[in-house]
Amino acid sequence: MRRVVPNLFRLFLLIALVAFLANPQSFASFLSRFNHPDAPVIYNQGELWSLTLQHLRIVAIATFGASLVALVFAILVTRPFGREFLPLSRSIVNIGQTFPPVAVLALAVPAVGFGEKPTFIALLLYGLLPVFENALTALTTLPKNVMEAARGVGMTGWQRLWKIELPLSAPVILAGIQLTAVISLSTATIGSTVAAKTLGEVIIAGLQSNNLAFILQGGLIVAALAILIYDAFSWAERAAARATHSRGR
């Protein structure tokens, strides 16, 4: 029973999100309660479905890039030849947390121009830390008996990495990617301030025109996507944990 209610909520949320994106006008009567009588209710300066897909595209690319870079750094500093680079790697991945995304956007625009590129740079830098720290923790806390057994059967360092270390570390690494994806999803809204096509465009339009209906549309879509993406990664983590448990048997 405990699982049925959350699952039903997620299903309802997914159906409601798809229904709204497919036909937002059907929700106009509900949203009109939050708006001035003569103001437009549904965002009319672009298709919400298209903006949502473009928003997800930027987030997916940035999350993949941040995860790849952070994982490479974590693998490097957990190898005997790369341990001396740990302080440098930590400094690099902390850059995104040191500078707010808005500051990164301001610095990136003169170099790469307006649009998706500065948004991608800001999201990539901001998403490095969770994946790096989770991967580092996972790779340095592996069961010693398993690692010794792998060495005992003659596995090389790279074989241990691909066949033992990464599979066993997968649940913890996925938790870091999950956090990066959710953070990127919400942070991507500020990309619209530098002409990137994201759902932030709807929120900004609402703020500029004092249109609460627009703000609700953009905010609720982002919130719904965040919940669904979080749940998707949670499912992947559980699947990876089961696979890890089976491997350890």
Side-chain angles (χ1 to χ4, degrees):
M1 184 65 182
R2 290 180 180 179
R3 290 186 178 183
V4 172
V5 174
N7 288 339
L8 287 175
F9 169 74
R10 295 181 191 109
L11 180 61
F12 170 78
L13 186 64
L14 178 60
I15 293 172
L17 177 61
V18 172
F20 178 73
L21 292 175
N23 186 19
Q25 291 295 336
S26 61
F27 292 79
S29 59
F30 169 75
L31 292 169
S32 63
R33 304 174 188 178
F34 305 97
N35 211 10
H36 301 299
D38 298 328
V41 177
I42 303 300
Y43 182 70
N44 54 7
Q45 299 174 32
E47 294 184 3
L48 288 173
W49 184 264
S50 177
L51 285 175
T52 301
L53 291 179
Q54 290 178 82
H55 189 106
L56 289 173
R57 175 177 167 274
I58 294 175
V59 170
I61 294 173
T63 300
F64 176 79
S67 300
L68 182 62
V69 172
L71 188 55
V72 169
F73 280 171
I75 292 173
L76 173 66
V77 299
T78 53
R79 305 305 99 182
F81 61 82
R83 285 172 185 161
E84 61 185 287
F85 296 104
L86 178 58
L88 175 61
S89 297
R90 273 220 163 96
S91 298
I92 293 173
V93 301
N94 277 313
I95 289 176
Q97 303 293 325
T98 303
F99 292 97
V102 174
V104 176
L105 286 176
L107 294 172
V109 166
V112 300
F114 289 88
E116 289 187 0
K117 290 181 180 179
T119 306
F120 169 76
I121 293 171
L123 295 181
L124 188 145
L125 291 176
Y126 208 56
L128 289 172
L129 186 61
V131 181
F132 176 79
E133 289 296 342
N134 276 41
L136 184 64
T137 299
L139 291 171
T140 54
T141 56
L142 293 169
K144 292 183 179 179
N145 60 328
V146 174
M147 298 306 297
E148 289 173 1
R151 292 188 187 94
V153 297
M155 282 188 175
T156 65
W158 288 111
Q159 286 176 327
R160 292 196 300 272
L161 174 65
W162 291 109
K163 296 182 178 181
I164 304 296
E165 295 181 51
L166 289 178
L168 290 178
S169 302
V172 180
I173 293 172
L174 282 171
I177 297 174
Q178 177 189 53
L179 183 56
T180 289
V182 173
I183 290 174
S184 296
L185 186 73
S186 57
T187 307
T189 55
I190 66 170
S192 293
T193 60
V194 293
K197 286 290 185 181
T198 72
L199 289 165
E201 182 179 309
V202 185
I203 298 173
I204 292 172
L207 292 172
Q208 290 176 338
S209 60
N210 195 27
N211 189 321
L212 183 57
F214 284 3
I215 298 172
L216 282 173
Q217 285 166 64
L220 290 175
I221 292 172
V222 172
L225 289 173
I227 293 171
L228 293 172
I229 289 174
Y230 182 90
D231 285 344
F233 273 102
S234 295
W235 177 86
E237 286 174 50
R238 291 192 296 269
R242 288 194 296 269
T244 300
H245 181 70
S246 299
R247 183 184 291 267
R249 283 183 163 181

